[in-house]
Each structure stands twice: as C-alpha cells, then as structure tokens.
Amino acid sequence: AIPLLVDLLKLQDENMCRQVAGALLALSFTRNMRNLIAKADAIQELVRLVASDYGDATIISAAGCLWNLAMNDELERQIVKEKAIEALIHRLDSPNIEIASKAAGALKNLSYQQEHKELVASLGGIPKLIELIKDTSSRALPYAVGALRLLASGSPATRKKIVTSGGIPLLIKLLNFDQTPGETVRLASGTLLHLADRYIRQIIHNGAVPYFIKLYFWDEAPELVSEEASYMLQRAATHPCSIEEGLRFEGLVGRKRQKQGQIDFHRLRGVPGDALIDETNYVKFYSYSSMGSNLFVSTGKIYYEVEIISVIGFPSFGWISPRFEIDINYLHDCGVGYPGRKETPDDSWAIDGVNGRKWPTKSRFGSPWKAGDIVTVAADIYKGSIIFGLNGSFGNPMGIAFENINSSTTEKLSLAPAISGSHGTSVRINFGKQEFIYPPPEADFTSYYEAVKLLLRRK
C-alpha cells in the first residue's frame, strides 16, 4: 500500500496529504517500513509538505516521518539531496512548538555526516537551534540540544558559530541537573566538551566550573557525563595550553620515538595533546581521539596486540587504509571504523568490545572486553579479511569480522594499525618488537613490526 499512499501525496490535495502524511509517519517507526517508504519515492513529497503552507498537522507528520527516515545513513543522504535541511531550518522558528520540535529532531538525525553539519551551519540553522534552547521547559529542548551536540563535532567554523550565536552560557545553564533532565544534561555537556579545545576560557568565564564539579560527583549521571566533567576540569586547570602547543609536544614525542626505533604511531584525529603514547607503547586518551601509523603494508598477513588497561565509552581497534582522513585537530565523533564522509565509506575497519559491535557495518560482534584482556588484531591482505582474537581465542564470537574488503575499491589494499578511545581508556600496544602474549590466527602471520622493517628495507 505504501506506493499507493505516495501516489496520493502527488495529487496535492491538502486534506488527503494530511491523512497520508499521518499514515506514513505511523509506518516509519520500523526499519523495513522506512526502506519501503524511501523506495516508493516518498522523500521528495515529504520535503515538499514540510516546505508547504499546508496546515500544522500535515507539516508535523511530514517532518516527523523525515526524522524517522533519517535514522538510516543512506536515507539521510537522500533526504539532504532533496533540500530537506533548508525546509526544516525554516520550520525551527514556527510558533507551533510541535513543528519546531519535529524539525529539530529531523535536523539532529541529518547531522551525522560531516558535510551535512556544514550545510546546517551555512544555511543558518545554528542561531535558530540556539534560540530553541533558551526555554528550558520547551518540548523542543532535547532535540535542539541534540542537534547542537552533533554540529559541535563539525569544523572549527561550525563550532565558532555555536559560540558567536551565544550558545555557551545557555548550554552551561542546562548542566544544572536539579532542573534539567539527565539526557539533556548529557547532550549539553557533550556539546561543551567539543567546544573546549578553543573556547575553554569562555566556558570558564561563564561559570561552568562549579557545574562540572557537581557533575563529576553526580551519583546518577548518565553514561560518560562524569568522565566528561573530569576532562573539562582538567582542561580548565591547564587552559593556557593551546592547540599549537599540543602539536609541538606531539612532534617532540614523535621524534623521540623515531630515535628509539619505535613504530610511528601518533594522533590522527582529536584535540592535539589529548592522546599520547610513551616509549613502552602505553597509550592514554584524555578525550575521544584516534591514533594510528602512517606506514601502510600492502602484502602478507600481519597482526598486532592491544593490552587493555582500562576501557570505557566507544573504543575501536582495527586497521585503516590511506583513505582514512587525518590531521583533524579537534574533537571529532568519527573514529576508526566510523565513516564520517560519504566519499570514504570504507576507510577503516574495527571492533568495539565495550558495545559489542564491528564497524562500519554496526552489526553485533565479539566478546566483551575488560581490564587485562589482550585483543589480537590481524589482517590477511591477500584475502581482504580482518580477524580478531581475545586472549588467544579466535573462535566464535571472535574470528573473522570482515571479508573481501579489497573488493570495495579499485585501489590496492594497504593497511596500518589504528585505535580510537575516549577519556578513561588506556592500553598498551605491541606491534611485535617484543614477544607477543598469544599466537596469531595461523602460523604464517607475521608481526606488523617485521612487516614494516621489510617495507622500509625495500624502500
């Protein structure tokens, strides 16, 4: 019936559109139905309804349906292509708070891809979202803050717009968990976290420190809020440290490792200075960051080990290709295995043992990680397969996580080790210079360290 319903939308009868939009909204709460709605070419019609001068009920249903459809990455791109962001931003200042709420929620789901964040910012969405968080009792509040949280992981120019639009004092006000729902506190805290690298002074001067102290000791804090508060207090205590100083310090560490004959392994994404590795390959994360090597191996079977010392949030261990975007010197939501741009859907592959996922497929995988575990990260470059072991076991639910990854691109497959982690995560990596704790998946695998030595000799 869905194609028939979409055909009725094309009649452009207002009463009929209101009823059909309501029906499509009701159907769009399940994944299969969302795909069928999109397949029936409903997206263009729904965007048209959001931009129309039809009654509020029609616009609410159409925007709500787009909100649900945007939960799918591919549908998110289709919706943006139909110029939905422009139509939804126009609805943010609607006098009907239900319309504004649906528009903010849809924009939140449309702001995961990096290029979409920049589009929302360039089209004037940020000042309107800031306006919506002024009323702490508004139904639109959590959706507007949720959208700002994602936009804050965008480019420096996008984050600057949040600051210049007056976002910092309003976000700090939302940290008061005595008056603000926990989920909204979490989103406001996460937004400020993403602004802290360049705007910590403004955050301090607007009175955030007492709030972060209370959040750190909050017994009922949502996941990661206490950890984020701890990081923000550390950042506040060391706020004279600039991005440039962080980069200089990383350069010193890199040169020292090079003199010691260590594998190149440095921060690829995240705030400079917030992910560090020492001479023993001990890695500590102070905010969500990605670390990796720039020495790519294109032949053979290779592996390395990660010893977990502490782990929290959304860690991911795996491999990157040369297409993995680097030199992102700010807090960035997309780590190893998480594609941040449509141009690079297969730039890295990893697993997350805290949440039991493999990325980028998002499907369930593996056994849960805990302190003391050893994760073996292996790759058969010839077959294009990536294998993971836990404490020496490669049997189900560990084992092969990805197959034929070399079929997704015409480029020759080459890989380098990389990991992502958040504040509270620390590990020790063994590339093979020291003896491994556990054997590889098969006897003919060689250490990444030995593979790099061979690579450098050939060069």
Side-chain angles (χ1 to χ4, degrees):
I2 288 176
L4 297 176
L5 289 171
V6 175
D7 285 342
L8 291 175
L9 288 180
K10 296 174 183 178
L11 298 176
Q12 300 190 19
D13 176 88
E14 182 173 356
N15 185 52
M16 181 66 72
C17 287
R18 176 178 56 81
Q19 296 181 63
V20 171
L24 291 175
L25 172 61
L27 291 169
S28 66
F29 286 93
T30 63
R31 180 185 302 175
N32 289 341
M33 289 299 175
R34 288 194 287 270
N35 290 331
L36 290 173
I37 291 169
K39 190 176 180 180
D41 296 328
I43 291 175
Q44 183 178 8
E45 296 301 320
L46 290 167
V47 173
R48 180 182 62 80
L49 292 181
V50 171
S52 73
D53 58 359
Y54 286 173
D56 288 358
T58 304
I59 297 168
I60 289 168
S61 294
C65 191
L66 289 173
W67 181 356
N68 289 341
L69 294 178
M71 294 172 67
N72 176 292
D73 291 345
E74 183 55 41
L75 298 187
E76 176 188 345
R77 298 186 186 99
Q78 291 182 36
I79 293 168
V80 172
K81 188 177 180 180
E82 295 295 340
K83 301 190 181 302
I85 286 178
E86 295 93 319
L88 291 163
I89 288 174
H90 174 68
R91 294 299 180 186
L92 287 175
D93 49 13
S94 170
N96 185 324
I97 196 61
E98 188 64 25
I99 291 178
S101 299
K102 290 290 193 295
L107 285 169
K108 176 182 75 69
N109 280 359
L110 292 173
S111 296
Y112 281 91
Q113 299 293 320
Q114 199 69 15
E115 55 266 36
H116 299 170
K117 302 178 200 289
E118 315 314 328
L119 189 56
V120 172
S122 67
L123 292 171
I126 288 175
K128 293 189 176 186
L129 289 166
I130 296 291
E131 191 67 28
L132 284 175
I133 70 172
K134 290 181 177 179
D135 182 358
T136 57
S137 64
S138 170
R139 175 171 166 75
L141 176 65
Y143 314 124
V145 181
L148 289 169
R149 160 62 187 82
L150 290 171
L151 293 170
S153 67
S155 70
T158 295
R159 289 180 292 136
K160 184 177 180 180
K161 286 184 180 179
I162 296 175
V163 176
T164 57
S165 298
I168 285 178
L170 294 170
L171 290 162
I172 291 172
K173 184 179 177 182
L174 295 176
L175 298 179
N176 185 354
F177 56 79
D178 292 327
Q179 300 178 7
T180 308
E183 178 62 12
T184 302
V185 172
R186 183 185 72 81
L187 294 168
S189 171
T191 308
L192 289 167
L193 181 76
H194 282 75
L195 299 175
D197 59 339
R198 292 190 179 274
Y199 302 104
I200 190 64
R201 282 182 171 84
Q202 290 95 317
I203 293 171
I204 294 170
H205 293 161
N206 278 278
V209 171
Y211 287 105
F212 283 118
I213 292 172
K214 288 184 68 176
L215 289 177
Y216 179 72
F217 291 104
W218 184 18
D219 291 335
E220 300 177 3
E223 184 180 14
L224 296 181
V225 167
S226 293
E227 290 77 12
E228 290 175 353
S230 172
Y231 170 79
M232 293 295 282
L233 290 170
Q234 291 177 41
R235 195 85 195 175
T238 60
H239 68 85
C241 178
S242 67
I243 300 297
E244 292 70 25
E245 288 171 326
L247 289 168
R248 281 196 294 271
F249 182 73
E250 289 178 345
L252 290 172
V253 172
R255 288 190 289 275
K256 182 179 179 181
R257 287 180 59 82
Q258 187 178 30
K259 288 180 180 179
Q260 294 171 336
Q262 299 275 15
I263 287 288
D264 168 75
F265 201 77
H266 59 277
R267 182 191 54 79
L268 305 175
R269 296 177 178 177
V271 177
D274 274 7
L276 297 171
I277 184 169
D278 70 8
E279 63 275 7
T280 69
N281 288 333
Y282 170 77
V283 177
K284 186 172 179 62
F285 294 93
Y286 294 91
S287 66
Y288 189 73
S289 309
S290 297
M291 298 193 74
S293 178
N294 62 1
L295 298 170
F296 291 90
V297 176
S298 57
T299 59
K301 300 178 178 182
I302 53 177
Y303 74 112
Y304 68 98
E305 282 183 346
V306 182
E307 176 190 357
I308 296 174
I309 297 167
S310 62
V311 69
I312 194 172
F314 296 88
S316 57
F317 306 161
W319 302 94
I320 59 172
S321 78
R323 303 175 72 214
F324 188 78
E325 188 177 9
I326 62 172
D327 296 328
I328 297 177
N329 297 321
Y330 54 88
L331 195 55
H332 189 68
D333 282 341
C334 298
V336 181
Y338 304 84
R341 293 185 179 276
K342 64 182 180 182
E343 293 85 1
T344 57
D346 297 308
D347 58 12
S348 56
W349 304 264
I351 63 169
D352 167 1
V354 171
N355 302 286
R357 299 284 179 182
K358 60 179 181 178
W359 302 91
T361 65
K362 302 183 185 179
S363 53
R364 303 294 302 180
F365 182 86
S367 302
W369 297 341
K370 62 183 183 305
D373 282 343
I374 304 292
V375 180
T376 302
V377 185
D380 183 335
I381 296 176
Y382 297 125
K383 292 183 179 179
S385 58
I386 295 178
I387 308 115
F388 294 91
L390 185 66
N391 299 324
S393 173
F394 294 92
N396 190 47
M398 303 302 287
I400 297 175
F402 304 96
E403 296 182 277
N404 300 316
I405 62 171
N406 45 357
S407 65
S408 62
T409 176
T410 58
E411 301 169 8
K412 184 177 182 180
L413 181 64
S414 57
L415 300 173
I419 63 174
S420 296
S422 55
H423 180 72
T425 293
S426 56
V427 301
R428 181 169 279 107
I429 302 180
N430 184 1
F431 298 110
K433 189 175 183 179
Q434 293 78 34
E435 185 176 352
F436 285 119
I437 302 296
Y438 295 105
E442 297 171 352
D444 57 346
F445 275 73
T446 188
S447 72
Y448 174 74
Y449 178 76
E450 291 297 328
V452 166
K453 282 175 60 178
L454 179 60
L455 175 70
L456 295 177
R457 279 202 301 268
R458 288 174 176 170
K459 285 186 177 180

